[in-house]
Amino acid sequence: YPVNPPYAFVTIKFDKCEEELDYQIKEPKLREGEAELLKKITKIPGDYKISISNLSPRWLIRYIDDLIDIIKTKKIIALGIPIQSGNNRILKLMKRYHDKEKIIEALIKIKKAFPKLILHTHIMIGFPTETEEEFKQTMSFIEKCNFDGGKAFPYSCKSGSVAERIEPKISKNEINNRIIQAKNYLKKEGYYVYKPKEYGFLFEKKK
């Protein structure tokens, strides 16, 4: 969408659940289609910048070379990659891509190649059965990947979801304690922490 000069700003969202991504990874033409679409978009003449949100870690790892070539056009200035957790067991329970070492490797590779590229993420605090140590691993994950910012939100049980059947649940009191811990940790790591209108909190690295 257009903003003040000198350029317009465009946001591209990849809103697909992990089940859809699993299917489409098995259908290379479908997944490659998104990479080709990005290539075509960045070839459109004009003064504009692109922010990509909700990019699956699975897609990132599979098409990282394509993505790096696309970022070289200097049209893409931000990537939003929702990791949700920095622990493989929890990621597996969430039915998400669960090889955190590959995710870290990919993100560090991109950040090293493009230091000015803005990386954002989402994390969930208090997913059922999450231990204190697993929560701390998520905090450490943010530091290792050098994210520029993101959003943290508490787990909220949705009726009919797979997570609804996972026990034990983390108490609201414990989730609130971890949110406080997360805020304090991120502040020490050099992030601004502030509360949006909705639940959870936002964090942004100090410049």
Side-chain angles (χ1 to χ4, degrees), residues 146-162:
N146 195 23
F147 282 108
D148 295 284
K151 180 178 180 180
F153 53 96
Y155 168 76
S156 179
C157 186
K158 293 183 179 180
S159 179
S161 67
V162 175

Side-chain angles (χ1 to χ4, degrees), residues 81-104:
I81 303 166
I83 60 164
Q84 304 297 351
S85 174
N87 176 266
N88 288 338
R89 186 186 74 84
I90 294 296
L91 287 171
K92 192 170 184 179
L93 283 177
M94 290 178 172
K95 297 190 179 299
R96 295 181 177 274
Y97 184 80
H98 50 273
D99 190 334
K100 72 173 185 178
E101 294 306 324
K102 285 187 177 181
I103 298 173
I104 292 173

Side-chain angles (χ1 to χ4, degrees), residues 6-23:
Y7 56 76
F9 187 76
V10 179
T11 299
I12 299 174
K13 296 183 71 176
F14 287 113
D15 279 332
K16 295 182 182 294
C17 65
E18 286 293 318
E19 289 79 3
E20 290 176 313
L21 287 168
D22 284 338
Y23 170 74

